[in-house]
Amino acid sequence: MGRPLFTENADSYNRRIDYLRISITDRCNLRCCYCMPAGGVYPVKHREILRYEEILRIVRVFAGMGLTKVRLTGGEPLLRKHVCGLVERIVKQEGIRDVGITTNGVLLKEMAQPLYDAGLRRINVSLDTLNPLKFRMITGTDHHREVLAGISEAERVGFDPIKVNVVLLKNINSDDLLRFAQLSRNTRYQVRFIEWMPIGRCRGEDGSRFFSAQDAKKLLESTGRLIPIPRSRYDGPAERYRFDSAAGEVGLIGSVSNHFCRECNRMRLTADGKLRPCLLSDEEVDVRSALRANCSDHCLSRLIQTAIALKPAKHGLDFRSDHVCRRDMSQIGG
Ligand code: SAM
Ligand code: SF4
């Protein structure tokens, strides 16, 4: 019998940390202007990327401490080989009740059915514009049509909910909001408008592209009454609304202007094996070295607890502050 695992997952501010976002790769097939620096990225070496067995071990030990919810992200998670096998094993992990993925949707048309068959039900697809030319401007690629086809396929195979993530970019996609509002009326999609966070080398120096969730809300309200939807614990940070008789809904995520740190229940695992207690703080705990030095489950649970204890009360991020988050978003996993 080994020593008992820690079951405590409360941080220093009494928040229960039961949600892990796992970046399974730092590679990506898009170059979104707010995420990947124009000057290029330095890919993590293959040997430094966590193997699936290592990820699964972290999930198993963390689940023993109260982890219930996992989201796979990246980089672009669908670029990593055999991702469906990983999904299947996480879905089957005792204690894990909720598994999701965040994808840019480029490969979703082919992957939606195998992902569904692997047991995945929740999917977030990032799409900042319904205009192919703007898509090119934002992502540097012409994959708009593939993303739309991916979302339709996800709907066809039965994913529910399908969340569409839209990063708010002033004077770039502000006029798309009304088209997204219409999409939430005509489909069951949950369209979520997310404030651009100044992270890494894409921090958008002067904030001139920043468009707040509150301004987005005003714009949406100009097209019709927004009916609030009561929030539940698993909703995450979105303020949720529905237009009258709409099939879907809209959500507003004020990550910068109205941060939700007090209710934050999440932690991140980077592709290179660092536990990151807060997206916006550079404090990290290296679990890969411990795993590769054959640490015990007890030691791993201690490292997870150390990371939980490091979680700050709140982030100090805004476009005016000197706070700099060193890693780029694609290296952390959004
Ligand atoms: N490649 C996948 C995708 O785009 O969905 C998953 C990784 S991406 C880093 C996860 C989410 O973070 C996406 O919805 C993306 O729009 C969002 N994101 C990236 N950089 C951001 C930033 N600076 N501010 C706000 N959201 C950002
Ligand atoms: Fe790639 Fe997602 Fe970052 Fe866009 S937001 S560059 S799709 S990781």
Side-chain angles (χ1 to χ4, degrees), residues 85-97:
L86 178 69
V87 166
E88 193 170 354
R89 291 177 70 184
I90 296 177
V91 166
K92 287 186 180 147
Q93 171 60 53
E94 196 185 329
I96 302 298
R97 296 202 292 265

Side-chain angles (χ1 to χ4, degrees), residues 144-164:
H144 192 248
R145 191 198 298 246
E146 283 98 311
V147 180
L148 294 179
I151 296 174
S152 302
E153 180 65 1
E155 188 177 9
R156 190 195 67 75
V157 305
F159 277 96
D160 188 20
I162 295 175
K163 296 186 182 176
V164 178

Side-chain angles (χ1 to χ4, degrees), residues 290-316:
L291 285 167
R292 294 190 182 172
N294 291 324
C295 71
S296 64
D297 283 358
H298 179 71
C299 159
L300 189 53
S301 68
R302 293 292 296 257
L303 284 177
I304 295 170
Q305 225 184 24
T306 302
I308 291 175
L310 283 172
K311 203 167 161 63
K314 60 185 169 81
H315 71 71

Side-chain angles (χ1 to χ4, degrees), residues 28 34-35 73-77 102-104 124-126 128 165 167 194-199 202 329-330 333-334:
C28 192
Y34 47 78
C35 178
T73 177
E76 174 46 38
T102 301
T103 170
N104 61 30
N124 291 13
V125 186
S126 306
D128 302 320
N165 286 356
V167 175
I194 304 171
E195 284 178 352
W196 175 1
M197 292 178 279
I199 292 181
C202 298
M329 188 66 147
S330 61

Side-chain angles (χ1 to χ4, degrees), residues 209-266:
R209 293 278 183 223
F210 181 75
F211 186 40
S212 75
Q214 281 316 306
D215 285 342
K217 186 175 174 202
K218 280 185 208 142
L219 203 56
L220 295 172
E221 278 171 333
S222 70
T223 74
R225 193 165 72 90
L226 284 175
I227 303 161
I229 299 173
R231 294 182 52 200
S232 68
R233 175 166 163 73
Y234 279 99
D235 279 349
E239 267 179 41
R240 297 169 59 193
Y241 301 93
R242 187 188 297 283
F243 286 105
D244 238 346
S245 64
E249 47 179 274
V250 291
L252 292 152
I253 305 186
S255 336
V256 176
S257 66
N258 178 26
H259 63 71
F260 36 86
C261 303
R262 210 155 43 89
E263 294 162 39
C264 184
N265 61 342
R266 47 183 84 166

Side-chain angles (χ1 to χ4, degrees), residues 48-243:
E48 290 172 4
I49 292 195
L50 283 187
R51 297 186 285 266
Y52 283 165
E53 289 307 322
E54 293 170 326
I55 293 175
L56 287 164
R57 187 165 172 220
I58 294 167
V59 170
R60 175 175 60 72
V61 170
F62 205 163
M65 302 166 64
L67 179 73
T68 60
K69 181 171 172 174
V70 169
R71 173 164 295 276
L72 301 182
T73 177
E76 174 46 38
L78 301 190
L79 282 178
R80 187 147 174 197
K81 278 191 194 146
H82 311 303
V83 61
C84 295
L86 178 69
V87 166
E88 193 170 354
R89 291 177 70 184
I90 296 177
V91 166
K92 287 186 180 147
Q93 171 60 53
E94 196 185 329
I96 302 298
R97 296 202 292 265
D98 184 343
V99 183
I101 204 162
T102 301
T103 170
N104 61 30
V106 175
L107 300 173
L108 192 55
K109 188 164 188 306
E110 306 91 82
M111 297 287 291
Q113 187 70 61
L115 284 167
Y116 192 87
D117 294 344
L120 194 74
R121 295 293 178 266
R122 302 167 71 83
I123 199 151
N124 291 13
V125 186
S126 306
L127 177 65
D128 302 320
T129 175
L130 293 168
N131 174 330
L133 294 176
K134 280 198 210 167
F135 185 88
R136 162 157 266 292
M137 191 170 130
I138 296 168
T139 70
T141 73
D142 287 321
H143 292 304
H144 192 248
R145 191 198 298 246
E146 283 98 311
V147 180
L148 294 179
I151 296 174
S152 302
E153 180 65 1
E155 188 177 9
R156 190 195 67 75
V157 305
F159 277 96
D160 188 20
I162 295 175
K163 296 186 182 176
V164 178
N165 286 356
V166 183
V167 175
L168 294 163
L169 304 164
K170 193 182 222 158
N171 299 331
I172 299 181
N173 66 358
S174 355
D175 54 346
D176 271 290
L177 261 60
L178 304 185
R179 295 179 69 193
F180 278 116
Q182 200 52 36
L183 191 70
S184 85
R185 290 184 168 98
N186 301 339
T187 66
R188 297 185 59 214
Y189 306 158
Q190 300 182 10
V191 184
R192 296 143 24 108
F193 300 102
I194 304 171
E195 284 178 352
W196 175 1
M197 292 178 279
I199 292 181
R201 285 169 292 166
C202 298
R203 67 191 311 266
E205 293 312 326
D206 56 358
S208 59
R209 293 278 183 223
F210 181 75
F211 186 40
S212 75
Q214 281 316 306
D215 285 342
K217 186 175 174 202
K218 280 185 208 142
L219 203 56
L220 295 172
E221 278 171 333
S222 70
T223 74
R225 193 165 72 90
L226 284 175
I227 303 161
I229 299 173
R231 294 182 52 200
S232 68
R233 175 166 163 73
Y234 279 99
D235 279 349
E239 267 179 41
R240 297 169 59 193
Y241 301 93
R242 187 188 297 283
F243 286 105

